[in-house]
Amino acid sequence: MRIFDRQLVRKRRDRAAGTFVAHDFLIREVAERLADRLDDVKRRFPMALDLGCHTGEMADTLRGRGGIETLVQCDLSPAMAAKAAANGHPTLAADEEWLPFAAHSFDLVVSCLSLHWVNDLPGTLLQIRRVLKPDGLFVAALLGAGTLAELRQCLADAELAEEGGLSPRIAPFADVKDLGALLQRAGFALPVADADAVSVSYADPMRLMADLRGMGETNAVAAQRKGLTRRATLLHAVALYQERFAGPDGRLPATFQVLTMTGWAPHPCQPAPAPQGCAVPGLNGLNSRMSPETE
């Protein structure tokens, strides 16, 4: 299965690495949200993996949190990995689809806005579960199908008007309703998937496109049309964006849908589903199991 051109993804991330700090606002925002989730988990993760580390933003956010003693950083892009290595953590360039780690190596695997470029997400999740120690935690954020809905709509309508057809211009991202099932399929316990949004505003749609290029997040769909977008199509899309979405102040919204996955490597100590038929009347059908502190 080849949805994305992984060599093109690597090339664009390599190109973005040098000036990534000027465009890393989305990575840093989502990294903080992931770290906040770790703060809610009352245990330590001595050995952790940052999968898709970009230039080290997740490491900055995790500093002093989660009981992490060793953080290994890994990125598809050698240039990104080289930038990240400046923070002193062990770092390597490796493909998320071919993890070069032994089984049961990590207490925690965290991934911030990288896995939406993976062709075989079920296979990657299986590998992540394999490298986790029993009762190890996986938490990841990736872009979802609602990302850049405004831009998608305007590009599609402009291309239809100017060129008489559509081409694959924006990645076919995952939907939140599929992620929980994928976690279960990969063998994770206690799987959870949810969706949130990060909204940004721009004075000019071209600035949004410049940020996407600066983040290394431009189109890498394998079936995309070769060659540059026609000038007329691009200008038409910009005009539609301003006409349809400009607010009272003239600024234009851009919405990034962020999907978060959480799952645990199986361990006998974890809570198990209660047997069918054990519900207690008067609890609205909810499972009656209680924690030791409340019994």
Side-chain angles (χ1 to χ4, degrees):
M1 182 170 58
R2 185 171 180 265
I3 302 170
F4 305 112
D5 184 337
R6 295 283 290 171
Q7 290 186 348
L8 185 57
V9 174
R10 181 186 294 111
K11 177 181 177 181
R12 289 183 172 167
R13 292 179 77 142
D14 281 343
R15 180 183 65 193
T19 57
F20 191 74
V21 67
H23 307 276
D24 67 356
F25 66 92
L26 183 62
I27 302 295
R28 291 194 177 275
E29 170 64 25
V30 176
E32 189 63 45
R33 296 186 184 196
L34 290 178
D36 285 344
R37 294 188 181 226
L38 286 178
D39 289 341
D40 295 333
V41 181
K42 304 306 179 186
R43 59 161 291 183
R44 299 171 62 83
F45 302 98
M47 190 73 176
L49 171 65
D50 179 5
L51 184 59
C53 64
H54 296 90
T55 60
E57 292 73 22
M58 194 77 236
D60 293 343
T61 307
L62 289 175
R63 187 177 293 116
R65 302 164 88 165
I68 296 171
E69 298 171 8
T70 301
L71 178 66
V72 178
Q73 300 176 123
C74 172
D75 199 273
L76 174 68
S77 159
M80 288 275 191
K83 286 281 186 179
N87 60 24
H89 294 288
T91 307
L92 69 158
D95 194 327
E96 296 96 335
E97 295 185 347
W98 302 94
L99 297 184
F101 305 109
H104 305 161
S105 296
F106 299 101
D107 302 288
L108 169 70
V109 175
V110 60
S111 181
C112 182
L113 298 187
S114 183
L115 294 182
H116 51 270
W117 290 120
V118 168
N119 281 310
D120 182 13
L121 184 56
T124 298
L125 293 177
L126 278 169
Q127 292 187 64
I128 292 170
R129 183 178 62 79
R130 179 185 63 84
V131 303
L132 278 170
K133 298 176 183 179
D135 204 33
L137 176 62
F138 167 58
V139 58
L142 60 161
L143 295 179
T147 294
L148 298 178
E150 305 92 348
L151 180 61
R152 289 170 183 259
Q153 177 185 326
C154 294
L155 280 173
D157 290 349
E159 190 170 22
L160 279 171
E162 298 293 336
E163 304 181 34
L166 290 174
S167 61
R169 292 188 176 276
I170 300 181
F173 296 138
D175 194 286
V176 66
K177 66 178 183 293
D178 300 322
L179 294 185
L182 287 177
L183 287 167
Q184 285 185 312
R185 176 178 167 185
F188 284 96
L190 310 174
V192 177
D194 58 73
D196 200 357
V198 177
S199 296
V200 186
S201 67
Y202 288 89
D204 181 352
M206 298 303 293
R207 180 58 192 166
L208 165 60
M209 296 179 195
D211 267 343
L212 294 175
R213 179 182 176 89
M215 289 187 282
E217 293 290 331
T218 49
N219 187 15
V221 176
Q224 68 177 290
R225 182 186 301 174
K226 306 304 178 186
L228 300 175
T229 300
R230 294 183 188 178
R231 177 179 173 82
T233 301
L234 183 59
L235 292 178
H236 193 164
V238 167
L240 289 176
Y241 208 137
Q242 293 170 326
E243 174 187 326
R244 294 174 179 177
F245 297 107
D249 59 355
R251 295 188 66 84
L252 304 161
T255 304
F256 296 88
Q257 185 188 39
V258 179
L259 309 183
T260 304
M261 296 186 287
T262 304
W264 295 83
H267 189 277
C269 74
Q270 292 166 348
Q276 291 186 352
C278 71
V280 176
L283 293 182
N284 298 320
L286 295 177
N287 190 315
S288 62
R289 296 176 64 211
M290 303 175 71
S291 66
E293 292 80 2
T294 58
E295 286 180 347

